[in-house]
Amino acid sequence: MVEEIEVFVETDLNPTETEEKVRLAISNVLGGATFTVSPAQRGAILTAHATGQDCLIKLRNLMRNDRIRDAARKLLLKKIRDNTISFYLNKQVAYVGHISFSEETAESPLGPLHFTIKTLSPQQLIEWMAEKT
């Protein structure tokens, strides 16, 4: 069990989106999150925050159910910087209860979900979330 995990998710809340649906997209992949909304130049920014390894169980289960653990582990290991793992998920795919990793721009017309996970043991956390098959 990895100790002291803090997860932040940030995404644009576009004028064409409802806050409720964007919250649901995040909640489908992250458990126990608290949400805040702040104004932005166009629309708003929705931020979610959660702590502890248990908040990542949904993400872990989706990687297992979608059978992408090996690919996810490889991608996540490349995304480690010091004690932080930073990656993007497609917002629309998360809304329907699946995950698809994406880039910061261009792949998701409504913008991606930007995950930042802070932990003292990022490699150990990735091994737990996306163990080898």
Side-chain angles (χ1 to χ4, degrees):
M1 184 128 177
V2 180
E3 299 298 323
E4 298 191 32
I5 297 169
E6 201 166 14
V7 182
F8 300 92
V9 181
E10 187 175 280
T11 191
D12 292 330
L13 185 56
N14 297 297
T16 58
E17 297 175 299
T18 64
E19 182 181 332
E20 181 182 315
K21 287 183 177 182
V22 178
R23 282 178 184 240
L24 179 60
I26 294 170
S27 295
N28 282 342
V29 292
L30 181 69
T34 56
F35 294 91
T36 56
V37 177
S38 46
Q41 195 168 358
R42 193 180 73 103
I45 302 289
L46 179 64
T47 306
H49 176 254
T51 58
Q53 189 167 334
D54 287 349
C55 74
L56 294 169
I57 288 175
K58 288 182 179 183
L59 182 61
R60 179 182 191 230
N61 289 339
L62 287 170
M63 283 189 248
R64 176 179 290 141
N65 294 342
D66 289 350
R67 298 180 179 189
I68 61 166
R69 285 179 288 180
D70 291 328
R73 184 179 56 260
K74 186 176 181 180
L75 180 137
L76 291 171
L77 287 170
K78 289 180 181 176
K79 300 294 184 176
I80 296 173
R81 297 288 176 272
D82 300 318
N83 291 332
T84 301
I85 308 164
S86 181
F87 59 93
Y88 296 89
L89 294 180
N90 183 295
K91 189 190 300 182
Q92 291 94 329
V93 175
Y95 178 74
V96 295
H98 292 280
I99 56 171
S100 176
F101 290 93
S102 70
E103 294 299 320
E104 183 176 359
T105 57
E107 288 184 40
S108 182
L110 297 175
L113 303 175
H114 179 205
F115 273 72
T116 303
I117 303 173
K118 296 182 180 188
T119 176
L120 296 176
S121 310
Q123 290 172 323
Q124 184 181 347
L125 179 63
I126 291 168
E127 288 302 324
W128 172 78
M129 285 194 318
E131 70 270 13
K132 289 183 182 179
T133 57

